[in-house]
Amino acid sequence: MIALLGLVLGVALGLMLQPDVPLWLQPYLPIAIVAALDAMLGGVRARLEGVFDEKVFVVSFLSNTVIAALIVFLGDQLGVGSQLSTGVVVVLGIRIFSNAAAIRRKLFRA
Amino acid sequence: MSGEEPGRAARGLLELLRPRATRGQLAGGLLCLLLGFAVVAQVRSTQADTTFATARQDELVGILSDLSQRSERLRGDIRDLEGTRDSLARDGEGEAALAEARRRAATYGILAGTLPATGPGIEVTIDDPAGRIRADTLLDTLQELRDAGAEVIQVGDVRVGVNTYFTDPPGGGVVEVDGRRLQPPYRFLAIGDPHTLTTALNIPGGVMKTVEGLGAGGSIVQRQKIAISAVRSP
């Protein structure tokens, strides 16, 4: 509940403050967001399966976003930034789908 | 058992949504707040500037070099035009204006076909003893020459203009251009870069191959000086 509230509050804050993404963050933020989405869905799934642990959630959330951004950074340094970003997005997309499927199975038994 | 499942799942969902102000929950909430904020910020920045924000470095370099080339060209144009303007401003007698006007009249006259012209170019001869060449083949030849950058073209003794046309006479026979019967063999004189013109006509499946396929003979001669004397009436 608090997480959901936080999400809504964050969107509202973003709409109100109209933030501009700083230039140094611009290449990494999209990937970090996708990684965070994955971590969030993973958290919901764990909660529904009854194995949710706040510490795990916080750590996985932070490490996922940081690692995703790091991979993109490394890719940019190696000159394969776009390909590596695509790879990360694909992997995270697969994980998001599998998490969503697990949540759906828990909630609707389907 | 299966009847209880939806109920249990719903209870699980309710429990998930029930607020519990533990430290972990607060941390999770804070992270989600951050996520929502970041999503909105990112979406806004993507909407604000879609042209270049997503472009990679090499694309940007390409765009930049295109732009600098263009600005260099435009700067050259500016220099030329400023030179013209200065020379026009300098002479009171109108000498420079007259010279400029003459130069333009000559250029336009050549383009419109009202003035004779000489220059490097090619001579194309299409020998058609069997009479199989029709107007469309000659039109293709003309268009190919135009595409390849021929500036002045003459067919037979007719100067080619913007409204030049080819017609097949009703009973067959020699093609007419602008209503005048050509004298076979068909002869094109074109002023332009000889090498480019020759390459354009000789490409596989191009004009020369078509002409040969029709059983006619085509030949191209590159000349450093082609004199086109036929003119169109203004």
Side-chain angles (χ1 to χ4, degrees), chain A residues 35-51:
Chain A
L37 277 177
D38 169 49
M40 208 178 69
L41 282 177
V44 174
R45 174 189 182 175
R47 189 72 196 77
L48 285 174
E49 285 173 352
V51 294

Side-chain angles (χ1 to χ4, degrees), chain A residues 57-110:
Chain A
F57 174 67
V58 171
V59 170
S60 80
F61 189 103
L62 290 178
S63 68
N64 265 15
T65 50
V66 168
I67 288 174
L70 260 180
I71 290 177
V72 177
F73 173 75
L74 190 69
D76 273 342
Q77 299 303 308
L78 295 177
V80 288
S82 55
Q83 292 95 321
L84 216 50
S85 320
T86 312
V88 172
V89 168
V90 167
V91 171
L92 289 173
I94 291 171
R95 286 183 43 134
I96 287 176
F97 268 107
S98 73
N99 277 338
I103 292 170
R104 189 197 64 215
R105 246 178 262 122
K106 278 282 164 203
L107 282 185
F108 307 115
R109 315 296 305 164

Side-chain angles (χ1 to χ4, degrees), chain B residues 71-229:
Chain B
S71 79
E72 190 52 48
R73 213 168 47 235
L74 291 173
R75 225 170 272 140
D77 285 358
I78 290 174
R79 271 197 299 279
D80 288 355
L81 291 172
E82 274 175 354
T84 311
R85 186 198 64 193
D86 290 348
S87 62
L88 285 175
R90 244 184 277 117
D91 75 321
E93 320 278 292
E95 291 262 317
L98 200 59
E100 175 74 12
R102 282 219 185 88
R103 198 180 54 77
R104 281 202 191 178
T107 310
Y108 293 147
I110 288 171
L111 287 177
T114 55
L115 290 176
T118 49
I122 61 170
E123 178 180 347
V124 184
T125 313
I126 297 174
D127 194 12
D128 178 31
R132 291 217 189 85
I133 298 282
R134 300 263 64 93
D136 56 343
T137 313
L138 295 186
L139 182 63
D140 285 347
T141 313
L142 175 60
Q143 293 294 31
E144 197 67 67
L145 287 170
R146 280 174 168 162
D147 285 347
E151 291 158 29
V152 184
I153 303 169
Q154 174 178 340
V155 184
D157 51 4
V158 177
R159 176 74 169 266
V160 172
V162 282
N163 55 349
T164 294
Y165 60 93
F166 292 91
T167 37
D168 290 324
V174 183
V175 177
E176 293 176 357
V177 54
D178 285 348
R180 282 162 70 177
R181 271 174 72 88
L182 290 169
Q183 295 294 321
Y186 304 113
R187 199 159 135 265
F188 286 78
L189 295 175
I191 292 180
D193 178 38
H195 181 70
T196 312
L197 294 175
T198 311
T199 313
L201 293 182
N202 277 331
I203 54 166
V207 169
M208 280 301 150
K209 290 282 175 286
T210 313
V211 167
E212 281 164 23
L214 288 169
S219 70
I220 303 174
V221 183
Q222 304 189 8
R223 290 190 203 289
Q224 278 315 304
K225 192 176 169 210
I226 295 257
I228 292 184
S229 49

Side-chain angles (χ1 to χ4, degrees), chain B residues 18-89:
Chain B
R18 203 183 66 220
R20 284 158 304 150
T22 63
R23 237 176 55 206
Q25 282 273 310
L26 282 176
L30 203 68
L31 288 180
C32 286
L33 188 147
L34 203 69
L35 174 61
F37 191 75
V39 167
V40 174
Q42 178 61 33
V43 168
R44 266 179 40 79
S45 85
T46 311
Q47 280 170 348
D49 186 6
T50 49
T51 328
F52 299 120
T54 51
R56 314 280 328 163
Q57 200 170 354
D58 42 351
E59 292 169 357
L60 292 173
V61 170
I63 294 170
L64 187 65
S65 84
D66 273 5
L67 282 177
S68 48
Q69 266 176 28
R70 216 172 100 201
S71 79
E72 190 52 48
R73 213 168 47 235
L74 291 173
R75 225 170 272 140
D77 285 358
I78 290 174
R79 271 197 299 279
D80 288 355
L81 291 172
E82 274 175 354
T84 311
R85 186 198 64 193
D86 290 348
S87 62
L88 285 175

